[in-house]
């Protein structure tokens, strides 16, 4: 299959597509972000069993897929003024997407989802199979179109594990996107756990203050329905990206994580799995 040549500059945004409308929205998100960052946009299609069945039904070969990808390339290079490359890769979406992200040393990956209806046939925990094993940060977008860049990033903090890594990632994207950072603290019923987490939040504030980076820190008032509280805060403070920095996103439960991925306001969500991604690239 086609494989463009890249140097390891880490200035690549990867977008997998199944040619659905929501994946088109993901490409638009990625193109706007690539233009702001001066990154290359790579649009990927995985030729899996579903694609093969479709091609067989149309009595077409992979040139049909290449033609559709080339249409994207022409459209987004013209309208968004970004450099676009396209790729096809035979395999399955659960492993092949992340393999390509690793091979390209991509800075980011952006994926579209229909929510609980799934990205192509990704539903619920299936999308976790991609995001949790991704070697790069992943931004999940839904149908809502966002034309502006991410100006305010909301980071839920649910535990005090890996503090330096979380602080590092927050500062990295704050600088990259020239964005303000908001931290939102999880509420533990256990007083000892809550106090430990509050201490970590104070450490975050001191670190940002030392580097003269503005940040905002707030706390949840109750333990239940944390994802709803996060989204309510995001709406009230006009945050346009929620960033989850965690290990397998399993601190509160998969339901909490999925509640953010498929949030009712369709705010984009970035996931950074610290078990897979050790430090910022670039």
């Amino acid at each position: 299959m086609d494989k463009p040549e890249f140097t390891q500059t880490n200035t690549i945004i990867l977008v997998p597509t199944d040619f659905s409308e929501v994946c088109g929205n993901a490409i638009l998100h990625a193109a706007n972000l690539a233009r702001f960052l001066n990154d290359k946009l790579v649009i990927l299609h995985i030729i899996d069993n579903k694609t093969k069945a479709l091609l067989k039904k149309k009595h077409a070969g992979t040139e049909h897929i290449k033609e559709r990808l080339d249409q994207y390339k022409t459209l987004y290079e013209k309208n968004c003024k970004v450099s676009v490359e396209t790729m096809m890769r035979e395999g399955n979406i659960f492993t092949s997407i992340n393999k390509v992200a690793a091979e390209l040393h991509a800075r980011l990956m952006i994926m579209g989802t229909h929510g609980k209806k799934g990205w192509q046939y990704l539903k619920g925990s299936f999308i976790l199979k991609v995001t949790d094993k991704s070697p790069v940060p992943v931004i999940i977008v839904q149908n809502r179109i966002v034309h502006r860049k991410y100006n305010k990033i909301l980071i839920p903090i649910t535990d005090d594990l890996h503090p330096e890594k979380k602080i590092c990632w927050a500062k990295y994207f704050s600088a990259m996107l020239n964005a303000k950072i908001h931290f939102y603290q999880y509420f533990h019923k256990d007083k000892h756990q809550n106090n430990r987490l509050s201490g970590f939040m104070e450490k975050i504030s001191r670190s940002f203050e030392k580097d003269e980076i503005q940040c905002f820190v707030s706390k949840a008032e109750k333990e239940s329905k944390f994802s709803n509280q996060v989204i309510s805060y995001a709406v009230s403070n006009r945050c346009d990206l929620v960033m989850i920095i965690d290990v397998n996103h399993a601190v509160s439960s998969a339901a909490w994580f999925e509640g953010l991925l498929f949030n009712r306001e369709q705010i984009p969500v970035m996931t950074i799995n610290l078990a897979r991604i050790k430090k910022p690239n670039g």
Side-chain angles (χ1 to χ4, degrees), residues 167-202:
I167 291 172
C168 182
W169 277 109
K171 290 180 179 179
Y172 174 71
F173 278 105
S174 174
M176 179 196 298
L177 300 173
N178 190 27
K180 295 180 179 178
I181 301 294
H182 291 244
F183 293 98
Y184 193 72
Q185 178 183 333
Y186 182 74
F187 177 83
H188 287 282
K189 291 182 179 179
D190 183 273
K191 185 176 180 180
H192 176 68
Q193 285 183 295
N194 218 45
N195 288 341
R196 283 187 57 182
L197 192 53
S198 294
F200 172 49
M201 301 298 287
E202 291 176 7

Side-chain angles (χ1 to χ4, degrees), residues 16 22-23 26 110-114 118-120 122 127 139-142:
V22 73
C23 286
I110 299 184
M111 297 180 65
T113 177
H114 293 283
W119 175 88
Q120 192 168 342
L122 289 178
I127 200 169
I139 297 178
I140 306 297
V141 301
Q142 299 185 59

Side-chain angles (χ1 to χ4, degrees), residues 195-213:
N195 288 341
R196 283 187 57 182
L197 192 53
S198 294
F200 172 49
M201 301 298 287
E202 291 176 7
K203 182 176 181 178
I204 289 176
S205 297
R206 290 194 300 269
S207 179
F208 271 69
E209 184 178 353
K210 180 181 177 181
D211 289 344
E212 298 182 343
I213 303 173

Side-chain angles (χ1 to χ4, degrees), residues 9-263:
T9 58
N10 298 308
T11 54
I12 295 168
I13 298 177
L14 176 65
V15 189
T17 182
D18 63 358
F19 304 109
S20 64
E21 183 177 350
V22 73
C23 286
N25 187 34
I27 296 172
L28 178 61
H29 270 72
N32 287 331
L33 191 56
R35 179 174 55 190
F36 174 76
L37 296 173
N38 196 29
D39 280 9
K40 183 186 292 290
L41 175 61
V42 177
I43 304 173
L44 167 70
H45 179 74
I46 300 299
I47 301 177
D48 57 8
N49 290 335
K50 188 170 184 178
T51 298
K52 291 176 182 178
L54 179 63
L55 292 175
K56 184 177 181 179
K57 184 177 181 180
K58 290 179 174 290
H59 303 288
T62 55
E63 69 277 359
H64 175 72
I65 301 300
K66 187 177 188 306
E67 182 179 329
R68 298 192 70 178
L69 290 172
D70 286 344
Q71 290 173 355
Y72 278 142
K73 176 179 172 67
T74 300
L75 175 66
Y76 288 100
E77 285 190 335
K78 178 181 178 180
N79 292 349
C80 296
K81 311 300 180 186
V82 293
S83 175
V84 180
E85 297 288 350
T86 63
M87 291 182 66
M88 296 183 291
R89 175 67 59 86
E90 188 168 344
N92 70 79
I93 56 176
F94 299 117
T95 58
S96 300
I97 291 174
N98 287 333
K99 285 181 180 178
V100 172
E103 290 170 10
L104 298 184
H105 299 271
R107 187 204 297 265
L108 286 169
M109 179 157 60
I110 299 184
M111 297 180 65
T113 177
H114 293 283
K116 285 292 186 179
K117 295 178 182 178
W119 175 88
Q120 192 168 342
Y121 45 80
L122 289 178
K123 297 181 181 178
S125 62
F126 291 130
I127 200 169
L128 301 182
K129 292 182 180 180
V130 178
T131 58
D132 273 0
K133 294 182 180 179
S134 174
V136 302
V138 182
I139 297 178
I140 306 297
V141 301
Q142 299 185 59
N143 287 306
R144 184 170 69 92
I145 297 174
V146 178
H147 293 286
R148 66 182 186 275
K149 74 176 187 70
Y150 305 123
N151 295 308
K152 294 182 180 179
I153 301 174
L154 173 58
I155 304 178
I157 300 293
T158 58
D159 64 66
D160 56 353
L161 300 174
H162 310 286
E164 299 302 331
K165 290 181 180 180
K166 291 178 182 177
I167 291 172
C168 182
W169 277 109
K171 290 180 179 179
Y172 174 71
F173 278 105
S174 174
M176 179 196 298
L177 300 173
N178 190 27
K180 295 180 179 178
I181 301 294
H182 291 244
F183 293 98
Y184 193 72
Q185 178 183 333
Y186 182 74
F187 177 83
H188 287 282
K189 291 182 179 179
D190 183 273
K191 185 176 180 180
H192 176 68
Q193 285 183 295
N194 218 45
N195 288 341
R196 283 187 57 182
L197 192 53
S198 294
F200 172 49
M201 301 298 287
E202 291 176 7
K203 182 176 181 178
I204 289 176
S205 297
R206 290 194 300 269
S207 179
F208 271 69
E209 184 178 353
K210 180 181 177 181
D211 289 344
E212 298 182 343
I213 303 173
Q214 189 176 27
C215 75
F216 305 87
V217 177
S218 298
K219 298 180 180 181
E221 298 298 327
K222 56 184 180 180
E223 189 175 38
S224 62
K225 298 182 180 179
F226 183 57
S227 60
N228 289 347
Q229 294 181 72
V230 171
I231 295 304
S232 294
Y233 179 92
V235 171
S236 297
N237 292 275
R238 300 179 62 83
C239 297
D240 34 39
L241 179 68
V242 177
M243 182 188 300
I244 303 173
I245 310 173
D246 218 329
V247 177
N248 294 320
H249 318 300
V251 173
S252 300
S253 72
W256 163 78
F257 178 52
E258 289 186 3
L260 287 181
L261 285 188
F262 311 125
N263 68 83

